[in-house]
Amino acid sequence: MLEKKAENQSNIRINNQKLILNEIIARGGASRADLAKAIKLSAPSVSANVEPLIAQNILIETRREHATTGRKPIILEFNADYGYVIGMDLSKGRVTTALGNLTGTIVYKKEGAYTGTRVGMDLINFVEQSLHDFLLETKVDLKQVMAVGVASPGILTEREHVRIDPQKLNWGLFPVQDILSRRLKTKVIIENDINMATIGEYGTLSKKEALNSFVFVSVGRGLGAGIIINQQLFKGSSGGAGELAFMRLTSKGDGGEQFAESFVSTEVIKQCLIKKRVLMQPTDDDDRVLRETAKLLQQEDNEMSALIKEMADHMAMIVSHVAAVLNPQKVVIGGELMLLSEYFLPTIIEKVKEVYPFPIEIEVSTLRDEVGLIGSIEIARKEALEQMIQ
């Protein structure tokens, strides 16, 4: 009975300290009186919970200028430099790495080498070495890194790496998270790249507006969606929720059916550019693909304009299907293709409104190619905060 009571008291302390820390981070600083009022704790309870955090240097006491006369109030601020987190994005065929502080602010970013044909243990070694090289460049000691978030294509379970596209990154059958966590001596969290992007997009939007349900649709090398329900990421029973690539769309002309990705992806545009001899061979340089596409659209090239119009129609169909099932408050569309959003978005909004009768906001991500990194940093930051309060 005494052990159970002690455990309950420990859980209460941990919960209260998390509430205090989150409130201080959200406000950018708060006095003890502010905290007591905001989270409905007594003044003695607030003091009892903040003192250990001050002793550990997690919280810092400062005095700020105050509008009224008299003594300046003591403000508690979160020590964002208590440690660091790292985000890695492998979704575009190369390793992009970012260093973040504990408020989630990216302080340094670097695009690294392409993953190429590396698979299994060779890929694990490559990612580990990429991280070490990055830390050498930033002059940050690995001991200061509290957690690492990695955005990876496919679905990584405890037993296997489920790859939707056989051409994409392949971890093999190795327990990747465990191997990297053990080698780096810090927690490594690997999550589907679209889910990471969803976390990044939702975290940014929720600072400005109340969102209970939200869908992030990514259209680029592949096609997928991340789903937020009741402010939580929804992954489904096997982690496969939002795999829009499995949707089938009816093909115009032959009446057959093909996967949605056959109609909507950068690969479709690449094939058109090769056919027009703008590209002489396939390339992994998506920036070049989009630049060449934009040139043709600006020149009002009939073939490319017709292709983009057809892709926009298919995207509208996909968004309307997702909306019909989930009825979200907002759908944000991101991914490489949305760098051409001016050619896509008006058609998508118009077509969705024609078939979907409920209010829905549809917009393009403003985070562009950083959204996966931002999500990776955020998931690592949350893990770091969990470690700080135990």
Side-chain angles (χ1 to χ4, degrees), residues 162-206:
V162 180
R163 295 183 302 139
I164 309 306
D165 183 348
Q167 302 302 316
K168 290 186 179 178
L169 183 135
N170 182 7
W171 294 108
L173 299 178
F174 295 96
V176 186
Q177 288 190 155
D178 291 344
I179 292 171
L180 287 174
S181 295
R182 186 171 64 252
R183 289 183 179 181
L184 297 171
K185 296 182 174 59
T186 192
K187 179 71 172 179
V188 176
I189 304 166
I190 300 179
E191 180 58 84
N192 171 264
D193 56 331
I194 308 299
N195 283 342
M196 282 293 203
T198 303
I199 291 168
E201 192 72 49
Y202 178 72
T204 302
L205 288 172
S206 59

Side-chain angles (χ1 to χ4, degrees), residues 167-334:
Q167 302 302 316
K168 290 186 179 178
L169 183 135
N170 182 7
W171 294 108
L173 299 178
F174 295 96
V176 186
Q177 288 190 155
D178 291 344
I179 292 171
L180 287 174
S181 295
R182 186 171 64 252
R183 289 183 179 181
L184 297 171
K185 296 182 174 59
T186 192
K187 179 71 172 179
V188 176
I189 304 166
I190 300 179
E191 180 58 84
N192 171 264
D193 56 331
I194 308 299
N195 283 342
M196 282 293 203
T198 303
I199 291 168
E201 192 72 49
Y202 178 72
T204 302
L205 288 172
S206 59
K207 292 175 183 176
K208 300 179 288 187
E209 57 185 301
L211 278 177
N212 193 53
S213 59
F214 161 79
V215 176
F216 176 78
V217 177
S218 178
V219 191
R221 288 191 171 198
L223 176 66
I227 303 165
I228 298 289
I229 298 176
N230 293 330
Q231 302 179 8
Q232 299 294 320
L233 181 69
F234 178 76
K235 297 170 65 173
S237 60
S238 304
E243 288 296 343
L244 302 181
F246 288 127
M247 290 180 65
R248 289 183 178 270
L249 301 176
T250 301
S251 173
K252 294 179 181 178
D254 61 6
E257 288 187 333
Q258 296 182 42
F259 288 118
E261 219 168 76
S262 302
F263 299 102
V264 182
S265 71
T266 53
E267 293 302 317
V268 178
I269 293 179
K270 285 179 191 178
Q271 294 307 312
C272 180
L273 292 174
I274 291 171
K275 179 182 174 183
K276 294 175 71 65
R277 302 188 70 79
V278 175
L279 295 179
M280 302 311 294
Q281 60 185 11
T283 176
D284 286 330
D285 189 348
D286 289 334
D287 290 338
R288 183 188 172 194
V289 169
L290 296 172
R291 283 196 306 271
E292 298 294 350
T293 303
K295 286 180 187 177
L296 290 173
L297 292 171
Q298 288 163 6
Q299 295 165 7
E300 299 184 350
D301 179 87
N302 290 335
E303 188 175 359
M304 183 58 75
S305 296
L307 175 62
I308 295 301
K309 173 65 168 61
E310 184 177 1
M311 291 176 73
D313 287 343
H314 286 307
M315 287 167 63
M317 185 186 302
I318 291 164
V319 170
S320 61
H321 287 172
V322 169
V325 173
L326 297 172
N327 186 217
Q329 292 169 255
K330 177 175 285 192
V331 173
V332 173
I333 308 175

